[in-house]
Amino acid sequence: MAQPKKINTHEKIIIAGMKHMSKPYRLGAEPFQTKEFDCSSFVQYLYSQVDGILPRTSRQQSLIGKKIKKENIRRGDLLFFTSRARHSKKGIERIAHVAIFIGNDKMIHSCKMGGVVISKLSDVINKNDNKRWDDYYLFAKRISKDELQDLITKPQENASSIFKSLHNKPKF
């Protein structure tokens, strides 16, 4: 008899995210609850359900994982975006949004336009100047199982490292 296929961490995150479709968006939503989400609380909550605790904000989350070239993005990778208001800022201050790539030019995320939704990277998000998610894309990160395990076993050390990184403001 064949063994059932083991579902990897990134697939578990996507599956967990689908259960929250249409949950409302609220900037600064409380962490670790499911009534409402902002982009980073949504990502943080999903990771907490499968294997690790990510930092609370998209800027802090951007400091974890391995940067991935756009052409190598896989399901479960984190996508980071800027905005009109943040595009001229430097380093992590440019980051305005985080989403989870689910394949086929699509991502699951929590945003002002619909709460938890699936969007295409090619979807127009600013009708005034015809800007798409792709126009605001900055980079992608892949968080390995080992990095997730470190977040669980060494949370204080990682918090300290993230805090120092925030003050060093890396360039993207």
Side-chain angles (χ1 to χ4, degrees):
M1 189 155 112
Q3 292 284 337
K5 185 179 178 186
K6 186 175 180 185
I7 299 174
N8 72 31
T9 299
H10 293 115
E11 290 302 318
K12 289 177 187 175
I13 289 167
I14 293 168
I15 291 166
M18 298 293 186
K19 295 175 184 172
H20 298 285
M21 295 298 294
S22 301
K23 292 277 177 90
Y25 175 88
R26 187 174 75 79
L27 183 61
E30 289 294 318
F32 309 112
Q33 53 78 36
T34 60
K35 182 177 60 175
E36 59 194 5
F37 297 103
D38 66 14
C39 65
S40 56
S41 71
F42 180 62
V43 170
Q44 182 189 46
Y45 174 78
L46 295 179
Y47 270 83
S48 76
Q49 296 305 292
V50 295
D51 271 335
I53 306 292
L54 293 185
R56 172 60 184 87
T57 71
S58 57
R59 292 178 196 96
Q60 293 167 334
Q61 291 170 0
S62 76
L63 299 172
I64 298 170
K66 178 183 175 194
K67 200 176 259 191
I68 303 297
K69 291 182 180 179
K70 195 170 186 180
E71 61 269 16
N72 295 328
I73 296 171
R74 294 191 316 222
R75 284 174 58 87
D77 288 342
L78 298 183
L79 307 177
F80 293 90
F81 300 87
T82 192
S83 65
R84 278 192 306 174
R86 294 195 158 275
H87 79 277
S88 62
K89 295 190 180 280
K90 301 290 183 213
I92 65 171
E93 295 303 314
R94 290 185 71 198
I95 297 169
H97 190 68
V98 61
I100 299 170
F101 187 69
I102 62 171
N104 297 325
D105 187 44
K106 295 178 184 174
M107 60 187 181
I108 187 168
H109 59 133
S110 182
C111 65
K112 293 176 190 173
M113 304 159 296
V116 176
V117 294
I118 293 175
S119 301
K120 286 187 171 185
L121 290 165
S122 57
D123 285 348
V124 172
I125 59 169
N126 187 334
K127 292 183 174 131
N128 292 337
D129 54 8
N130 206 31
K131 293 285 187 180
R132 302 172 188 284
W133 283 109
D134 262 335
D135 296 320
Y136 293 105
Y137 174 84
L138 292 172
F139 57 90
K141 287 281 193 99
R142 182 170 301 144
I143 302 174
S144 72
K145 190 152 179 89
D146 289 341
E147 288 166 308
L148 286 173
Q149 194 59 44
D150 281 350
L151 290 169
I152 294 168
T153 58
K154 304 174 192 168
Q156 196 60 39
E157 182 180 315
N158 284 295
S160 175
S161 171
I162 289 167
F163 183 74
K164 286 176 188 169
S165 296
L166 287 172
H167 289 289
N168 293 335
K169 294 190 180 178
K171 305 268 186 284
F172 291 112

